[in-house]
Amino acid sequence: MDVTVVLAWTLNTVILMNILLACFVIFVERRDAGSTWAWVLVLFFLPILGFIIYLFLGRQLKSDNFYNLSVDEQTYYAHQIQGQLERLEKDEMEMPPAVRHKYRQLMEMNLRAPKSLIGLTNSLMILHDGHQKFDQLIADIEHAQSEINIQYYIIQRDALGRRLLDRLEERAAAGVKVRLLYDGVGSRSLKEKDFNVLLEHGGEVRIFFPAIFGPVNLRMNNRNHRKVCIIDGKIGYIGGFNVGNEYLGIDKKFGYWRDTHLRMEGDAVSLIQDRFILDWTYAGDKKHREDESFAFASHKVRSMKPVQIVTSGPNSKTEHLKNMMIKMIMSAEHDIYIQTPYFIPDKSFMDACKMAVTSGVRMHIMIPGVPDHPFVFWASRLFLGELLQYEGVHVYLYEEGFLHAKMMTVDSEIATVGTTNLDARSFRLNFEINALVFDSHTAMTLEELFESDKQRCRMLTKKEYDRRSAGVKIKEGISGLLSPIL
């Protein structure tokens, strides 16, 4: 057969495949316009390679009953949600009147969309240093009596990872039920032999979206980014710290690691437990739902600090956590404080920020001063530069080490802390979890930490940003085009 005929046939086949896949992305998957255009460009500018990239990074998950809940389970959750909605509507929810009235719509939105129940009585501890966080976590693990459920996106095979596993092995040997869940991409360096002792003592280990063979993982773009731990059904952890030496601030590449985690006791712990159970069950045997018992302990906490545990993921029909943050921004009257390692919002989020600041709200945003991912860093600068054109926006670049905290407060009244970055990956592609806290003391403490962190920052002004070089503008422009898929 003539070589030119073969080449022409191959070229026509590739073009046809790209056209069909582009039609699938546009008409079947129905993504947002920015993401759709980004994938169409990838498909047509990178023939064949673009198709392979799509297989690994572009496929969407089903959203209808992703966790395979039974009819009874769905009915139970629906009853719980409806009960709290009715109590809010009748103004019967036991919480401070100022919070109940100003943030009722925010609570109702979270109840209806991501089905996030409200835990009314809680005590909270804010952990912002790696040594502080892991010393406290390991101390709680060492005192566990019945059950430890622990989930991390990244668990490194280093000194801190080994220290955590050693404590889990000891508690499992003492008869404590230990369940460990980690992400197949974030913790891909882990090996089966790392868990031999834990398994021998009756512990269980599961992988969320494991690789098919070797390093090949067809779900590498949908990561379980959650970081939680529930101990005896009484103590819960949620926040940004993963497990690794860098999170202790001893990695030379990153330097000091500034992050935020919450330790909780009270009603919210069972809500974190509920979310862990869904991920744990999904990562198990899909042929049947295991009859497992989990600890849901009573508590003696009486302080009125309402908390909603809000989750979102690629299985969600709407971007729950993004919508929650937009609603928070739109409720602000005075000040908004944001700490995030990545600031790559979509148009709806940017519009909310602009409406807030043009309404007289002051917005304080802190990001890392040095990049860990260059494209993400320059895209963040692009969006922040756009906001700097508005009066009332203050941007700070953290320079002591790396800022990884994911935190937002509004009017010193409410706050959210969790795993969610302000980018398309967290809003649409990753499984994320945040605590939304309706408590002024917690919000003010987080704002005080922000003010303290400013001493380790350099302020980025409109004047400085407008003087950036042509090279920086090119980097920002390219990164901005890629922002929907970063």
Side-chain angles (χ1 to χ4, degrees):
M1 184 179 290
D2 193 339
V3 174
T4 55
V5 174
V6 174
L7 290 175
W9 182 86
T10 303
L11 180 60
N12 289 334
T13 301
V14 170
I15 292 173
L16 178 61
M17 286 176 60
N18 276 2
I19 292 173
L20 291 175
L21 188 53
C23 290
F24 179 79
V25 170
I26 295 169
F27 299 110
V28 178
E29 292 198 329
R30 296 183 178 273
R31 303 168 183 263
D32 67 278
S35 181
T36 297
W37 275 112
W39 278 113
V40 169
L41 288 172
V42 167
L43 292 171
F44 280 98
F45 280 99
L46 298 173
I48 301 178
L49 178 60
F51 178 76
I52 295 172
I53 292 173
Y54 174 82
L55 287 178
F56 282 88
L57 302 180
R59 295 183 306 145
Q60 292 184 315
L61 299 179
K62 70 172 185 174
S63 59
D64 294 329
N65 199 16
F66 175 81
Y67 288 106
N68 298 316
L69 296 177
S70 67
V71 173
D72 288 343
E73 288 170 323
Q74 294 183 60
T75 301
Y76 172 77
Y77 283 120
H79 177 74
Q80 296 286 97
I81 294 295
Q82 188 58 37
Q84 289 202 342
L85 280 170
E86 290 176 358
R87 289 170 63 194
L88 276 175
E89 290 167 2
K90 295 176 182 178
D91 206 19
E92 296 175 350
M93 191 72 79
E94 298 176 359
M95 61 177 65
V99 169
R100 187 171 67 242
H101 296 152
K102 182 175 179 179
Y103 298 106
R104 172 181 155 182
Q105 288 187 345
L106 175 59
M107 295 179 189
E108 288 185 356
M109 185 188 76
N110 289 333
L111 278 165
R112 288 192 173 95
K115 311 297 183 187
S116 300
L117 289 166
I118 304 167
L120 291 174
T121 56
N122 300 280
S123 65
L124 298 96
M125 178 189 296
I126 298 171
L127 305 166
H128 56 89
D129 172 82
H131 292 280
Q132 173 199 35
K133 186 261 179 170
F134 285 103
D135 286 349
Q136 182 66 58
L137 173 64
I138 289 174
D140 286 334
I141 286 173
E142 289 174 341
H143 289 92
Q145 298 298 309
S146 61
E147 179 180 286
I148 302 168
N149 297 323
I150 189 165
Q151 175 180 4
Y152 277 97
Y153 170 56
I154 295 174
I155 301 176
Q156 301 282 25
R157 301 181 77 236
D158 57 17
L160 181 60
R162 187 65 260 166
R163 180 186 173 198
L164 177 65
L165 283 174
D166 285 345
R167 299 293 85 74
L168 294 176
E169 290 165 2
E170 289 173 4
R171 298 318 297 152
V176 174
K177 181 64 179 178
V178 176
R179 301 180 183 93
L180 174 62
L181 177 63
Y182 65 89
D183 181 76
V185 173
S187 301
R188 56 187 175 274
S189 65
L190 290 176
K191 303 181 184 301
E192 289 185 14
K193 65 180 181 181
D194 294 329
F195 306 108
N196 286 345
V197 176
L198 179 60
L199 296 173
E200 287 173 4
H201 292 309
E204 292 186 64
V205 179
R206 293 183 184 177
I207 308 172
F208 199 95
F209 286 162
I212 297 176
F213 52 89
V216 179
N217 193 317
L218 293 179
R219 287 298 181 192
M220 65 183 301
N221 206 37
N222 300 129
R223 306 166 190 172
N224 198 317
H225 198 234
R226 295 168 184 162
K227 308 148 182 86
V228 300
C229 183
I230 310 96
I231 299 169
D232 293 340
K234 297 179 179 179
I235 300 170
Y237 284 81
I238 182 171
F241 283 102
N242 285 295
V243 180
N245 287 345
E246 63 265 37
Y247 302 95
L248 297 176
I250 58 178
D251 186 285
K252 292 182 179 180
K253 176 183 177 182
F254 293 105
Y256 181 75
W257 192 276
R258 172 65 176 86
D259 217 324
T260 304
H261 227 83
L262 295 179
R263 178 189 185 273
M264 301 184 189
E265 295 184 56
D267 296 337
V269 177
S270 63
L271 304 180
I272 301 173
Q273 181 86 297
D274 283 337
R275 298 299 181 171
F276 173 87
I277 292 171
L278 292 176
D279 284 349
W280 176 259
T281 305
Y282 181 86
D285 190 342
K286 306 298 189 300
K287 295 180 181 179
H288 64 278
R289 294 181 65 84
E290 300 180 36
D291 183 19
E292 287 190 277
S293 61
F294 291 81
F296 287 90
S298 59
H299 62 85
K300 297 180 180 180
V301 178
R302 294 293 176 263
S303 54
M304 187 60 64
K305 295 183 179 181
V307 175
Q308 280 184 298
I309 302 299
V310 185
T311 59
S312 191
N315 61 307
S316 305
K317 291 184 178 180
T318 60
E319 297 169 16
H320 303 319
L321 283 160
K322 183 191 77 173
N323 293 342
M324 178 193 80
M325 292 181 187
I326 288 176
K327 188 69 172 177
M328 290 175 67
I329 290 171
M330 297 307 295
S331 70
E333 297 176 353
H334 308 294
D335 289 273
I336 299 167
Y337 286 81
I338 295 174
Q339 287 182 316
T340 178
Y342 316 123
F343 188 84
I344 314 177
D346 64 5
K347 187 176 185 302
S348 63
F349 197 100
M350 284 292 283
D351 286 345
C353 292
K354 293 173 184 177
M355 283 187 281
V357 295
T358 52
S359 300
V361 175
R362 293 177 294 270
M363 181 167 283
H364 316 266
I365 305 174
M366 189 180 294
I367 67 166
V370 292
D372 63 337
H373 302 295
F375 284 112
V376 173
F377 176 77
W378 292 114
S380 296
R381 294 277 293 239
L382 175 69
F383 288 104
L384 289 170
E386 186 176 340
L387 286 181
L388 279 171
Q389 307 308 310
Y390 293 80
E391 186 177 352
V393 175
H394 308 279
V395 175
Y396 303 92
L397 306 178
Y398 189 86
E399 294 192 321
E400 180 170 313
F402 189 72
L403 177 75
H404 193 249
K406 303 114 175 15
M407 179 280 291
M408 178 190 295
T409 70
V410 170
D411 292 346
S412 303
E413 294 174 339
I414 63 173
T416 183
V417 172
T419 67
T420 309
N421 299 311
L422 300 187
D423 59 15
R425 173 163 298 283
S426 276
F427 290 152
R428 292 198 299 268
L429 300 176
N430 288 349
F431 294 85
E432 305 282 5
I433 184 168
N434 270 50
L436 175 57
V437 184
F438 298 89
D439 174 59
S440 59
H441 180 265
T442 301
M444 286 190 288
T445 303
L446 288 166
E447 289 172 5
E448 289 169 3
L449 283 170
F450 187 107
E451 291 296 328
S452 175
D453 290 333
K454 282 167 56 176
Q455 300 175 21
R456 302 167 182 84
C457 291
R458 178 174 64 84
M459 194 170 184
L460 178 64
T461 64
K462 177 183 181 299
K463 184 177 180 180
E464 177 188 344
Y465 180 78
D466 290 344
R467 288 179 175 176
R468 68 199 188 282
S469 67
V472 169
K473 291 178 181 179
I474 292 172
K475 292 176 183 178
E476 289 181 353
I478 294 172
S479 301
L481 287 174
L482 296 173
S483 62
I485 57 176
L486 287 177

